Amino acid sequence: MPSFLLSLKLPNAAMPIMAALLLLPLLLAGLPAGAQAGPDDYYADPMLTDPDHRSHLVVESHGPFPVREKITIGVDKSMLIELPVDMKNVLVSNPEVLDAVVQTPRQVYLLAKDMGEANAFFIGPDGQKILFLEVSVTRDLTALHDTLRRLIPGSKISAEMMGDSVVLSGNVISGVDSNRASELAARYVKKKDGVVNLLATAANEQVLLKVQVAEIQREALRRIGVDLPGAVLQSGNFTFAKVIQNAFPVTSALVPKAVPGLPLPGVGAGVAAQPTWQTANQSVTAMVEALERAGVLRTLAEPTLTAISGETAKFLAGGEFPIPIAEEDNKITVEWKPFGVNVSFKPVVLDEGRISLTIAAEVSEISSEGAVQLATISLPGLRVRRAETTLELPSGGTLAMAGLLSDETRQSVEGVPGLKNLPILGALFRSNDYRRRETELVILVTPYLASHESRGVLARPDDGYAPTSELKELFFGNINRVYGIGAADSGRYRGDYGFIIDYPGVKG
């Protein structure tokens, strides 16, 4: 074959351009196919497709039988099986997970119905074993991979099924992206707790939460009344007995009423007088009871705890009290109920330093109100202040997540009908019961973006504490050693400060 040689004379300035044109086809030939694609062409990323999920399986005619395969089918999807020879029977081990539809003697459709494991056996006319399949039915996560790639750019996230849960692994830029990936996966599997997040972030931000629960409660009680525990009058053959007993329904749950008795009545609180008139076979016993009480209750709890963005932190300062639970065969077990200051929150650091909080705060204490008496067992009640909410705050910002203002008044008058309405004398036949309670409660939350500090900057509550000597405790009543008086800078601190301060009636 003849060959031709083309010779051109070009100026020196055009030589680099000509060399680039000659090398361009060679460079394009060496590039991968994806590099030559245009902007409108799309090639699947290996991270976004599941190579285990197939829709078509062809069994080759050469090779020994039976052929053994392990396959994976997505839920609500199917796979076409093509056999090289005719078959007679198909056996599926778990029909609730997998079903087989025979189209022709050489074509079978496998239909995935639910997540799980199953076996499929294909048998020929003469009993020949053609194909054994080990089938795993899971969710096809191709759509989830594509959604994560599109909505969370810059991340490398891989999702795989483990039972009925999705496991996320890989790397994301921030904790916000990690929580968004968890929310998307939870929507996909339709279960909040069906996502295991193993994503690594470039920087795990920590959030310190300070909760303040402040409450003031004022309560006033007043009780005054007259009872006739016993009045016996005899006239000839007739005997008259009269009993007047007032229950004090408003205040008796807090203060038990006085009980008549000889020589002295039983009094739980207040004042009780028991005059008695008696002559021959006639006697009248009266009970006059009076009580007035006023009190103020102040509650202040300030729990503080820290958690990584996207993780849940819990804090409990208090205790647990037992509750008996009846079982079969007259058995009783004990269940422990916590009380005290309980805080649980889950922070998520958003863009521009804003923090999303899912928080539950509770302050509870054992109370006689609501207590239950069962035979010889007394079950106390719980006085609870609880709030649960989701809110968004900047770092250092404070918000009142909950508040309560309550004013409750109860009053009761009971006595002898008709007689209790008489002027002046009616006071001998009636009892007055009064109770008023005012409550004001507020719960404040303040989140901070936290960072570590050196140990020397932080202080502990027992810093500077030293027990006193036995002689000072015996002769002076001191409970801790006092030292360094006058060493502090008087211009810097004012008032009571530190952890060791003076309390009324206690020497320190």
Side-chain angles (χ1 to χ4, degrees):
M1 179 178 295
S3 59
F4 300 93
L5 179 62
L6 180 60
S7 176
L8 296 175
K9 292 184 179 180
L10 299 174
N12 294 334
M15 291 299 293
I17 299 176
M18 191 63 184
L21 292 175
L22 293 175
L23 292 175
L24 182 59
L26 299 177
L27 294 174
L28 292 176
L31 288 175
Q36 302 178 39
D40 296 332
D41 296 331
Y42 172 73
Y43 291 88
D45 189 339
M47 293 285 292
L48 307 180
T49 58
D50 193 341
D52 294 333
H53 290 268
R54 295 179 290 175
S55 58
H56 189 201
L57 175 62
V58 179
V59 180
E60 301 293 340
S61 59
H62 57 80
F65 291 111
V67 178
R68 304 177 186 272
E69 288 281 349
K70 290 184 178 181
I71 61 174
T72 301
I73 307 177
V75 178
D76 299 329
K77 292 192 174 183
S78 62
M79 175 179 285
L80 173 61
I81 308 295
E82 292 192 5
L83 302 175
V85 295
D86 293 345
M87 60 102 189
K88 183 178 181 181
N89 293 323
V90 178
L91 175 62
V92 176
S93 63
N94 193 349
E96 296 181 356
V97 173
L98 186 69
D99 197 4
V101 178
V102 178
Q103 189 72 13
T104 67
R106 295 194 180 189
Q107 287 186 347
V108 179
Y109 289 97
L110 297 181
L111 307 178
K113 301 166 63 178
D114 197 0
M115 290 186 296
E117 304 288 334
N119 291 2
F121 304 97
F122 297 80
I123 310 299
D126 54 353
Q128 180 187 13
K129 303 176 183 65
I130 302 174
L131 177 63
F132 291 169
L133 291 181
E134 301 285 339
V135 184
S136 296
V137 180
T138 62
R139 291 189 181 274
D140 189 354
L141 302 180
T142 303
L144 177 60
H145 279 126
D146 184 53
T147 302
L148 294 174
R149 178 192 63 85
R150 187 176 67 256
L151 299 182
I152 309 178
S155 61
K156 294 182 179 180
I157 304 175
S158 177
E160 59 182 284
M161 294 298 302
M162 178 178 291
D164 57 350
S165 300
V166 176
V167 180
L168 300 179
S169 60
N171 299 295
V172 292
I173 298 176
S174 64
V176 179
D177 291 342
S178 176
N179 286 279
R180 288 174 179 170
S182 294
E183 292 177 1
L184 292 173
R187 296 290 192 276
Y188 188 80
V189 297
K190 300 178 182 179
K191 286 175 56 181
K192 265 192 171 182
D193 56 348
V195 179
V196 180
N197 192 339
L198 301 180
L199 295 173
T201 58
N204 290 327
E205 296 178 311
Q206 300 182 99
V207 177
L208 182 144
L209 179 68
K210 184 176 183 179
V211 182
Q212 293 179 316
V213 181
E215 179 184 16
I216 291 291
Q217 179 177 330
R218 296 189 300 174
E219 187 171 30
L221 305 178
R222 186 172 65 247
R223 174 195 294 176
I224 184 170
V226 178
D227 289 343
L228 291 179
V232 179
L233 301 176
Q234 291 184 349
S235 176
N237 296 327
F238 293 94
T239 300
F240 298 92
K242 177 66 175 178
V243 176
I244 299 177
Q245 189 77 17
N246 294 316
F248 297 107
V250 175
T251 59
S252 59
L254 300 177
V255 181
K257 61 175 299 183
V259 179
L262 294 175
L264 297 175
V267 180
V271 178
Q274 181 178 296
T276 301
W277 174 83
Q278 183 174 4
T279 176
N281 295 329
Q282 303 180 6
S283 65
V284 177
T285 300
M287 171 73 74
V288 180
E289 183 177 356
L291 167 67
E292 185 170 355
R293 174 186 294 180
V296 176
L297 173 65
R298 175 179 181 264
T299 303
L300 177 62
E302 295 189 12
T304 302
L305 66 162
T306 306
I308 297 176
S309 176
E311 300 295 333
T312 301
K314 297 181 180 180
F315 174 84
L316 172 63
E320 295 182 344
F321 67 94
I323 298 179
I325 305 296
E327 298 280 341
E328 297 181 355
D329 300 330
N330 295 325
K331 295 181 179 179
I332 296 179
T333 61
V334 176
E335 180 179 337
W336 297 89
K337 176 71 175 179
F339 69 93
V341 180
N342 191 353
V343 177
S344 173
F345 85 110
K346 179 181 180 181
V348 177
V349 179
L350 306 177
D351 298 333
E352 299 179 357
R354 299 191 65 82
I355 303 172
S356 174
L357 292 174
T358 301
I359 180 174
E362 175 183 314
V363 177
S364 58
E365 59 189 16
I366 297 177
S367 173
S368 60
E369 295 186 38
V372 178
Q373 184 74 30
L374 299 175
T376 59
I377 301 176
S378 178
L379 303 180
L382 270 185
R383 186 168 172 268
V384 181
R385 284 81 79 198
R386 180 188 298 117
E388 298 182 13
T389 185
T390 301
L391 45 87
E392 183 177 322
L393 289 172
S395 177
T398 302
L399 187 66
M401 64 171 286
L404 172 66
L405 183 61
S406 174
D407 190 348
E408 178 184 358
T409 301
R410 297 183 182 183
Q411 190 167 3
S412 173
V413 177
E414 58 181 345
V416 180
L419 296 179
K420 69 180 181 63
N421 298 324
L422 295 176
I424 303 176
L425 295 178
L428 300 175
F429 301 96
R430 68 172 178 261
S431 296
N432 295 285
D433 206 8
Y434 172 82
R435 178 185 180 187
R436 182 174 182 180
R437 181 168 55 182
E438 297 175 330
T439 302
E440 186 172 356
L441 169 69
V442 65
I443 302 178
L444 306 176
V445 292
T446 307
Y448 299 91
L449 290 177
S451 60
H452 65 278
E453 292 285 352
S454 61
R455 177 62 186 88
V457 178
L458 304 178
R460 299 186 331 198
D462 60 341
D463 286 346
Y465 173 79
T468 187
S469 63
E470 295 183 1
L471 293 178
K472 288 186 177 181
E473 180 183 359
L474 180 61
F475 292 105
F476 299 101
N478 293 344
I479 59 175
N480 60 269
R481 186 178 302 172
V482 179
Y483 57 92
I485 298 177
D489 186 0
S490 59
R492 184 178 177 185
Y493 302 101
R494 293 182 180 178
D496 295 333
Y497 60 89
F499 299 101
I500 301 175
I501 60 176
D502 292 334
Y503 290 94
V506 179
K507 293 183 179 180

XYZ file of all heavy atoms in Angstrom, residues 368 370-374 377-381:
72
model
N -47.254 14.409 100.477
C -48.371 13.690 101.091
C -49.668 13.872 100.312
O -50.611 13.095 100.480
C -48.561 14.166 102.535
O -48.829 15.562 102.562
N -52.104 13.380 97.430
C -52.252 12.302 96.469
C -51.758 10.962 96.967
O -51.683 10.014 96.180
N -51.370 10.866 98.249
C -50.899 9.598 98.789
C -52.054 8.595 98.884
O -53.214 8.969 99.038
C -50.268 9.812 100.161
N -51.701 7.318 98.775
C -52.688 6.238 98.790
C -52.326 5.276 99.926
O -51.162 4.887 100.065
C -52.726 5.488 97.444
C -53.731 4.346 97.493
C -53.079 6.448 96.321
N -53.331 4.897 100.704
C -53.141 3.943 101.791
C -53.829 2.644 101.416
O -55.046 2.587 101.236
C -53.718 4.500 103.098
C -53.477 3.612 104.301
C -52.036 3.661 104.783
O -51.362 4.677 104.626
N -51.562 2.563 105.349
N -53.037 1.565 101.265
C -53.553 0.248 100.933
C -53.212 -0.701 102.070
O -52.055 -1.112 102.217
C -52.955 -0.265 99.616
C -53.242 0.572 98.366
C -52.487 0.005 97.176
C -54.724 0.628 98.081
N -49.850 -0.683 103.688
C -48.860 -0.058 102.803
C -49.313 1.352 102.471
O -50.458 1.577 102.067
C -48.673 -0.872 101.512
C -48.213 -2.286 101.837
C -47.666 -0.196 100.589
C -48.086 -3.186 100.628
N -48.412 2.319 102.648
C -48.684 3.713 102.324
C -47.847 4.105 101.108
O -46.614 3.984 101.127
C -48.361 4.620 103.509
O -48.575 5.971 103.167
N -48.510 4.554 100.044
C -47.831 4.958 98.822
C -47.847 6.474 98.737
O -48.923 7.082 98.651
C -48.515 4.355 97.591
C -48.639 2.830 97.565
C -49.335 2.384 96.300
C -47.263 2.182 97.675
N -46.683 7.131 98.745
C -46.668 8.594 98.689
C -47.015 9.103 97.291
O -46.911 8.378 96.290
C -45.222 8.941 99.074
C -44.432 7.748 98.623
C -45.332 6.557 98.841
N -47.393 10.353 97.218
C -47.636 11.005 95.944
C -46.409 11.780 95.494
O -45.448 11.970 96.245
